[in-house]
Amino acid sequence: WKDALGRVKSSIPSCCSWYGVGCGRNGEVTRLVLVGNALSGTIPSEITALHALEHLDLSNNNLTGPVPLDIGSLQSLTVLNM
């Protein structure tokens, strides 16, 4: 579809508009805050693909298993709450 200015738009919304997700100016995910959302299971290793991630808060959920080892490779990560 096209917006009012005639620009082609995707029908898939940007993840930057999702609940708990914050993005920087370039559209990369910088914050993921999903506190107390009854999340369960393990943290997927794919989370380490969020290279611009600065703030990750998954506290007060029912997560199990180890934290992905490569989370230490996220050089911008300054806040980590589990």
Side-chain angles (χ1 to χ4, degrees):
W1 60 276
K2 293 183 180 183
D3 67 9
L5 299 175
R7 296 177 295 203
V8 175
K9 294 291 185 176
S10 169
S11 61
I12 302 171
S14 165
C15 65
C16 296
S17 65
W18 297 349
Y19 173 82
V21 176
C23 295
R25 289 184 181 175
N26 60 2
E28 289 185 302
V29 174
T30 57
R31 295 175 61 86
L32 187 56
V33 180
L34 298 170
V35 178
N37 281 274
L39 301 176
S40 61
T42 59
I43 300 169
S45 61
E46 290 82 3
I47 201 161
T48 61
L50 300 173
H51 299 290
L53 195 62
E54 300 169 358
H55 186 118
L56 176 60
D57 193 340
L58 302 174
S59 58
N60 295 320
N61 284 291
N62 298 311
L63 298 170
T64 58
V67 174
L69 292 176
D70 288 344
I71 206 157
S73 69
L74 296 174
Q75 295 179 357
S76 298
L77 190 64
T78 57
V79 176
L80 176 63
N81 291 322
M82 297 286 172

